[in-house]
Amino acid sequence: MFSPPRRRFEFDLTTPEPIPDEGIDRACQLMRSGRLFRYREGASSGPDEAGVLEVEMAEMTGSKYAVAVSSCGAAMFLALRSAGLGAGDKVLTNSFTLAPVPGAIDHAGGIPVIVETTEDLTMDLGDLEAKAKESGARWLLLSHMRGHISNMDEVVRLCRDFHVKLIEDCAHTFGATWADKPSGTFGVAGCFSFQTFKHVNSGEGGVIVTNDDDVAAKAILYSGSYMLYEQHKARPTNDVFERIRGDIPNYSMRMNAVAAAVARPQLRLLPDRIAAMNKRYGLLATLLGEEPLIGLPRRDDREHFVGSSIQFNIPSFSMEEMESFVDRCAGAGLRFNWFGRARMQGFTSRPDQWKFLGTEQPVPQASKLLSTLCDMRVPPTLPLEDCEIAAEIILDSIKQISEDHGGGV
């Protein structure tokens, strides 16, 4: 019988920062007007929150265009379709990611080709090259899962060499850079998330950024602008729309005005939020790094990441030991995700559980890694003292289970 940890973790890791008063005031103004739809007709007027948000997102990422949509999953789907993905086209993508990524590929009619993951939780670029050759895929939906950025110099080179179009899933890298270049600007398009648990919280929402005239115009039309696309402020010129507008169906995936109003004031808070999250991430990584049984991903010096969560694995633990470890931490109030569970749980899943793929695509390297991988949120609201308590519970639980099972082997 395990002895309980000396201290209990009381903080709720799902606690977001409050919405800024400015965002609440803007949302209330819209609700009082009743004009919650982002588009206007005739003489109707009011603040164009979504249009201004698009301008601000384009400026923040150094992109020509931005399109605000209903979610990051919608953004990935629309980016793939707008960049020309057709039914049956193969799309290279991560083995370590969340279900909306292969889901967006399936939604767009593509066939996911699952690529291995390194011990540092980035895409295995050797496997990427091999599968690009083998599959003939001409698309890469690269997920910077949990903020881990692959070597983008090599990713861009491989995409160029194999004529692969790159779309980035930046749900966890808003505000991050690789070699001082913003995440989301390395390929055809970048896709961002404003879901509550991300760096900007509008409940749900997504944004596509791109420098491509056709991708931007198609995304606007696909998202559901009808013929009101001139109300977009960060868009291509009218002649681009005139050339394609009869060819593009309306998928009704646009962002509403309230979500944009809630999100906009938070853009200015992003640098402070990143600094707060990275401080907590750094403290946890230092404390957990003292335990030799714990594996932590290494970070490249060129990667200026956002530490909104921390991942660690315990390679020597069996599935029974991992289950005991996770349960013991939860019993002390510290709850986090474990990718090794037999069944999908919460947001957490892995490729062998994505039955919709149709055919099994073994990724043994990723499967071994994910079997002992734990994933803990690091919100900017997390008190530093609670970081120490969390690390204490994790380290104590590993020690207890290792001793009980003869060293964790």
Side-chain angles (χ1 to χ4, degrees), residues 313-387:
N313 70 329
I314 314 172
S316 62
F317 271 20
S318 66
M319 292 302 96
E320 179 186 357
E321 289 166 333
M322 282 301 304
E323 189 166 7
S324 296
F325 165 70
V326 173
D327 289 346
R328 188 175 191 275
C329 290
L334 180 62
R335 293 173 175 82
F336 46 75
N337 295 316
W338 167 39
F339 278 83
R341 292 191 185 278
R343 289 170 58 84
M344 295 182 284
Q345 186 175 68
F347 297 110
T348 305
S349 64
R350 54 182 193 271
D352 62 284
Q353 296 166 331
W354 302 336
K355 303 303 181 185
F356 62 86
L357 294 179
T359 57
E360 188 175 349
Q361 297 188 41
V363 277
Q365 184 174 291
S367 296
K368 181 179 179 181
L369 176 67
L370 295 178
S371 68
T372 63
L373 185 69
C374 298
D375 174 29
M376 174 180 159
R377 297 186 189 278
V378 184
T381 51
L382 176 62
L384 294 176
E385 181 183 1
D386 285 322
C387 292

Side-chain angles (χ1 to χ4, degrees), residues 9-313:
F9 189 80
E10 302 289 352
F11 185 80
D12 181 357
L13 290 171
T14 66
T15 303
E17 287 192 302
I19 302 300
D21 288 343
E22 183 182 350
I24 294 171
D25 292 342
R26 285 175 171 171
C28 289
Q29 179 185 354
L30 285 166
M31 287 188 283
R32 290 189 185 100
S33 74
R35 299 187 183 280
L36 310 185
F37 190 51
R38 72 162 294 174
Y39 299 109
R40 301 177 306 283
E41 285 188 286
S44 63
S45 62
D48 182 9
E49 297 289 350
V52 177
L53 172 67
E54 290 169 336
V55 172
E56 292 169 341
M57 283 294 296
E59 291 174 348
M60 284 184 71
T61 59
S63 304
K64 290 173 66 176
Y65 311 120
V67 186
V69 296
S70 56
S71 70
C72 189
M76 290 185 283
F77 160 73
L78 292 170
L80 288 166
R81 288 299 306 268
S82 300
L85 183 74
D89 289 345
K90 294 179 179 178
V91 183
L92 299 151
T93 198
N94 302 59
S95 48
F96 175 49
T97 191
L98 297 178
V101 176
I105 297 170
D106 184 80
H107 189 187
I111 300 173
V113 177
I114 308 300
V115 180
E116 282 280 18
T117 299
T118 71
E119 291 184 354
D120 297 321
L121 304 181
T122 57
M123 181 171 279
D124 185 320
L125 300 187
D127 195 49
L128 173 63
E129 180 173 3
K131 286 178 176 169
K133 289 179 181 176
E134 176 188 345
S135 69
R138 293 295 175 259
W139 305 87
L140 168 60
L141 178 52
L142 176 62
S143 174
H144 303 303
M145 174 63 169
R146 289 298 190 245
H148 297 281
I149 304 177
S150 301
N151 183 332
M152 295 308 295
D153 299 332
E154 281 300 295
V155 170
V156 170
R157 181 189 67 79
L158 287 170
C159 288
R160 182 181 62 246
D161 290 351
F162 289 95
H163 307 288
V164 170
K165 291 185 178 181
L166 168 64
I167 292 170
E168 295 175 75
D169 163 30
C170 305
H172 304 141
T173 54
F174 186 22
T177 61
W178 172 270
D180 297 324
K181 184 175 173 63
S183 183
T185 65
F186 287 85
V188 176
C191 304
F192 297 86
S193 174
F194 290 170
Q195 191 188 74
T196 287
F197 299 123
K198 304 305 187 294
H199 313 150
V200 168
N201 170 20
S202 67
E204 189 63 274
V207 175
I208 304 165
V209 299
T210 183
N211 291 324
D212 187 292
D213 290 4
D214 280 0
V215 169
K218 288 178 180 179
I220 289 169
L221 292 170
Y222 275 133
S223 73
S225 69
Y226 298 88
M227 295 301 106
L228 302 173
Y229 51 81
E230 290 188 24
Q231 293 182 24
H232 285 253
K233 295 177 170 62
R235 64 175 176 85
T237 54
N238 283 356
D239 61 297
V240 181
F241 291 90
E242 288 295 328
R243 176 163 44 83
I244 62 172
R245 70 183 205 161
D247 301 324
I248 306 299
N250 181 332
Y251 292 140
S252 293
M253 292 182 169
R254 61 209 154 244
M255 180 181 285
N256 68 69
V258 174
V262 168
R264 282 189 54 218
Q266 296 179 60
L267 299 182
R268 297 192 298 273
L269 303 178
L270 188 58
D272 288 341
R273 286 182 177 176
I274 292 172
M277 289 185 283
N278 285 359
K279 183 175 183 178
R280 286 146 180 80
Y281 180 99
L283 176 57
L284 284 163
T286 297
L287 294 172
L288 296 179
E290 296 174 358
E291 171 53 67
L293 292 182
I294 287 181
L296 289 168
R298 296 165 297 177
R299 296 284 190 173
D300 193 294
D301 289 341
R302 291 166 289 183
E303 178 194 18
H304 297 279
F305 64 94
V306 180
S308 58
S309 64
I310 188 166
Q311 292 72 44
F312 61 93
N313 70 329

